[in-house]
Amino acid sequence: MLIRFAVVFLITSTHAFGDDLPGFAREDFGKVVLSKSQFAGSVLEASYGNYNNEPITNYDPRSVFRRLGRAVGRLDILTNVRLYPCTGFLVSNKYLITNYHCVPGIIEQDEAKRLGVRRIDAVEFVLGYAQDGVQDAGKHYTVSPSPVEADKDLDYALLEVIGNPASEFGTLQLSAVEPFDNTPLWIIGHPLGEAQKISHEECKSSRPALSGGRLLHTCDTLPGNSGSPVIDADTKTVIALHNAGSSRNSINYAIPFADIVKASPILQDLVKRQSEEKSDTRVSALKPLSPQNQTAASNTPACNDVSIKLAIGETACIKPGSGESFKDCDDVCPEMVVAPAGNFTMGSNNGDDDEKPTRKVTISRAFAVGKYEVTVGQYAEFVRETNRKQDGGCFVWTGNSWEHQSDRSWKSPGFNQGDNHPVTCVSREDANAFIVWLNKKLGLSVKNGYRLLTEAEWEYAARAGSTTKYSWGDDIGQGNANCGECGSQWDNKQTAPVGSFKANAFGVYDMPGNVWEWVNDWYDPSYYDKGPQLPPRITRSWPVLGPCGSI
């Protein structure tokens, strides 16, 4: 049996609230990188097996972790003896939140008293310090050391930031809903005054979640994490303020924001305004409700259609088959629509042998599918960031036959492809590598992230509820797609820009014609004879394109 245990160092004093704070030389004030030799920490908080507090730079700047982390910064507290770093985070264009035991309570800490700390001389907020050792990273903001609000028992302080850092770094949204048992959590902060770290592996609320007015959690933290936001991984809202670790058991502690908000008129107004703004955009939380918070969430707008948790930290409410779309991020992310559940007849008795016999397939649940094909611009960003090398070459239709041309690649100028054209000449391995990159960038897993469509999903999305060969009829017709003799300006010349033709009833463009598209299945010529009626996996599905010039 695998035995897990907490690793601790000798602790010289204990207290009911508050982490031990690392101390650095006063000369480090105003610097981004603090002198390691000056650290005077004392305890490693509860750690499960391998220490799971990893650099935020393990993730792309557009991932949900990095985007949420922008509003989190290091709070440097200059006293008459030492510099003490904590963590804080922005909640508005003028306020940040941290622990009371950081500001103003640092002068009340036993260790600080022993060293002769009597006053706070200055406080500075460092935002954007993500990579260890980079001295010119981050921006510095002056903070008033006199709290606008503070409560020693709830261990929070609301401090005013000079300037408006939220205009560049954003803010975090607070939740007034009480945490419940075994909720997945994230903690973002600056342990030991280092560059930003995130704890999310083995990170959750305990069972019970609440005891003695504090949230019990299993997230790995260190001194310096004081004031870090405890983020609900489902709603992407801050549900607690981390404030203490334990050297005696496997639990760390935080103060529920439900309690802090009750004590704070400023935060009550802030949470109300955040809730109103969220409602205006047809976005609602999907947080599972336990009996004790059913009432508190009763005012949350209900979603009677399909709710999709987005990597940007919100939840989209989409009516399947309506053509309404959503995106996980603003730039490289695909625009997605939702295909409804339903039945359809797959294959064709008039087609090739591997399309026979027709069979009824049930799509048991709605699924998201890319509104457009993957574009050159989107794929170029993947190549730029990963430096992926393409083998080059693919089969090209010459007007009479398919010929392999080794000088062709996904960015071949011979195709006159702009950023809004579908990418070509990618292998199935290329397509899957692209998807792995996208999921990692957004902090998504295989279970809740992107993948290729299955063959059944592809055909279902292409037919869009019709019983004909194409979504518009049995004949390809003229002006409906880009193919050899389809009557378009691109016929037998090049790919058409995505979205050049009419969308089908599900809101999906360019399923027939233009280019071949990879699917998630292995090829089996006898599949139609023996394939079971299995429902698809419910994740984001995106047609990623295959051999170039196959129109």
Side-chain angles (χ1 to χ4, degrees):
M1 180 175 66
L2 178 64
I3 303 298
R4 292 178 139 180
F5 55 90
V7 179
V8 298
F9 293 103
L10 179 63
I11 185 168
T12 58
S13 63
T14 60
H15 37 73
F17 285 95
D19 286 328
D20 289 348
L21 299 179
F24 296 84
R26 281 173 53 88
E27 290 74 19
D28 277 354
F29 189 74
K31 296 179 180 178
V32 172
V33 181
L34 303 180
S35 305
K36 297 290 185 182
S37 61
Q38 301 296 330
F39 171 60
S42 56
V43 62
L44 173 63
E45 299 171 18
S47 177
Y48 294 83
N50 293 328
Y51 183 58
N52 292 316
N53 206 330
E54 61 178 324
I56 201 81
T57 49
N58 285 355
Y59 301 91
D60 187 86
R62 285 165 293 195
S63 69
V64 62
F65 295 154
R66 293 288 294 275
R67 290 197 305 273
L68 290 174
R70 285 184 58 78
V72 181
R74 192 181 72 207
L75 195 68
D76 289 349
I77 308 156
L78 182 66
T79 72
N80 60 298
V81 176
R82 279 183 176 173
L83 165 67
Y84 293 95
C86 282
T87 296
F89 57 96
L90 296 170
V91 294
S92 75
N93 59 3
K94 61 188 298 187
Y95 296 136
L96 67 82
I97 288 180
T98 190
N99 287 142
Y100 175 93
H101 76 257
C102 293
V103 178
I106 182 64
I107 61 177
E108 301 172 16
Q109 294 271 352
D110 291 341
E111 178 69 8
K113 287 180 179 179
R114 186 184 67 81
L115 292 173
V117 173
R118 299 185 304 275
R119 67 177 187 272
I120 295 175
D121 291 337
V123 181
E124 190 174 68
F125 195 41
V126 183
L127 286 162
Y129 180 30
Q131 185 173 349
D132 278 315
V134 180
Q135 190 65 258
D136 58 352
K139 290 192 176 182
H140 300 250
Y141 295 86
T142 299
V143 177
S144 172
S146 299
V148 177
E149 285 183 355
D151 189 306
K152 184 175 181 178
D153 291 335
L154 292 176
D155 201 12
Y156 88 93
L158 192 65
L159 306 177
E160 183 176 0
V161 188
I162 308 304
N164 183 15
S167 63
E168 178 177 352
F169 294 94
T171 62
L172 294 184
Q173 183 171 355
L174 306 179
S175 172
V177 177
E178 286 190 351
F180 55 94
D181 299 353
N182 295 329
T183 298
L185 304 173
W186 303 335
I187 289 185
I188 301 175
H190 289 269
L192 307 181
E194 296 175 344
Q196 197 170 89
K197 305 293 191 299
I198 181 169
S199 176
H200 64 99
E201 296 291 338
E202 304 288 346
C203 181
K204 63 180 181 178
S205 60
S206 299
R207 185 180 181 91
L210 299 174
S211 178
R214 292 196 285 180
L215 169 68
L216 312 183
H217 67 83
T218 63
C219 310
D220 287 348
T221 57
L222 286 171
N225 268 121
S226 291
S228 295
V230 180
I231 300 170
D232 185 316
D234 184 17
T235 65
K236 315 300 187 295
T237 58
V238 183
I239 63 168
L241 181 67
H242 173 74
N243 77 317
S246 170
S247 63
R248 296 179 297 275
N249 52 44
S250 299
I251 294 297
N252 291 324
Y253 302 96
I255 306 299
F257 257 103
D259 295 338
I260 295 175
V261 170
K262 288 178 184 178
S264 168
I266 292 177
L267 295 182
Q268 287 173 18
D269 181 65
L270 179 64
V271 169
K272 180 180 179 181
R273 284 190 285 110
Q274 288 178 337
S275 178
E276 290 171 350
E277 291 170 0
K278 202 171 181 67
S279 298
D280 289 343
T281 57
R282 279 175 49 84
V283 175
S284 59
L286 273 188
K287 185 179 179 67
L289 300 180
S290 61
Q292 64 264 33
N293 63 26
Q294 290 271 9
T295 302
S298 61
N299 294 325
T300 301
C303 178
N304 297 318
D305 297 309
V306 173
S307 295
I308 302 168
K309 290 177 285 187
L310 306 181
I312 58 176
E314 297 175 345
T315 305
C317 184
I318 303 291
K319 181 178 177 60
S322 66
E324 295 176 286
S325 63
F326 68 90
K327 292 183 71 174
D328 272 310
C329 64
D330 292 334
D331 37 32
V332 73
C333 291
E335 192 170 352
M336 309 292 287
V337 298
V338 179
N343 301 311
F344 80 110
T345 300
M346 187 175 176
S348 172
N349 288 328
N350 297 320
D352 295 333
D353 289 343
D354 56 3
E355 296 177 356
K356 305 173 183 176
T358 58
R359 53 192 289 269
K360 187 175 182 179
V361 173
T362 298
I363 304 297
S364 61
R365 297 179 63 184
F367 64 97
V369 57
K371 185 175 182 177
Y372 306 108
E373 300 154 318
V374 178
T375 66
V376 168
Q378 290 164 332
Y379 195 80
E381 184 70 10
F382 157 67
V383 172
R384 183 188 68 79
E385 290 192 10
T386 63
N387 197 31
R388 185 173 181 84
K389 305 299 182 183
Q390 310 295 117
D391 291 334
C394 58
F395 288 92
V396 177
W397 180 253
T398 62
N400 297 308
S401 62
W402 293 101
E403 292 184 4
H404 186 269
Q405 297 186 5
S406 60
D407 61 338
R408 296 289 192 181
S409 73
W410 68 271
K411 58 181 179 180
S412 173
F415 287 137
N416 298 314
Q417 290 174 303
D419 283 351
N420 64 335
H421 283 249
V423 65
T424 57
C425 290
V426 295
S427 67
R428 194 171 186 274
E429 290 72 22
D430 293 331
N432 280 318
F434 175 87
I435 289 169
V436 169
W437 167 78
L438 181 64
N439 283 332
K440 184 175 181 181
K441 177 184 293 290
L442 298 173
L444 298 172
S445 67
V446 174
K447 291 183 179 179
N448 68 352
Y450 291 87
R451 61 170 171 84
L452 295 174
L453 290 156
T454 65
E455 183 184 3
E457 289 169 337
W458 191 97
E459 189 169 333
Y460 179 72
R463 293 191 175 188
S466 69
T467 57
T468 52
K469 184 175 182 180
Y470 304 104
S471 63
W472 58 82
D474 286 320
D475 296 324
I476 191 69
Q478 296 289 293
N480 295 314
N482 179 21
C483 64
E485 297 179 355
C486 288
S488 80
Q489 60 181 299
W490 302 281
D491 283 5
N492 281 329
K493 297 176 182 177
Q494 64 174 76
T495 59
V498 300
S500 293
F501 302 92
K502 185 178 179 180
N504 65 26
F506 289 170
V508 185
Y509 289 83
D510 305 316
M511 293 297 274
N514 216 17
V515 293
W516 285 347
E517 297 174 0
W518 289 109
V519 295
N520 210 21
D521 311 60
W522 290 102
Y523 175 70
D524 181 351
S526 62
Y527 178 73
Y528 281 82
D529 288 325
K530 62 185 181 183
Q533 295 183 2
L534 295 178
R537 292 176 295 167
I538 308 304
T539 54
R540 295 161 171 80
S541 302
W542 196 4
V544 175
L545 308 188
C548 62
S550 51
I551 53 178

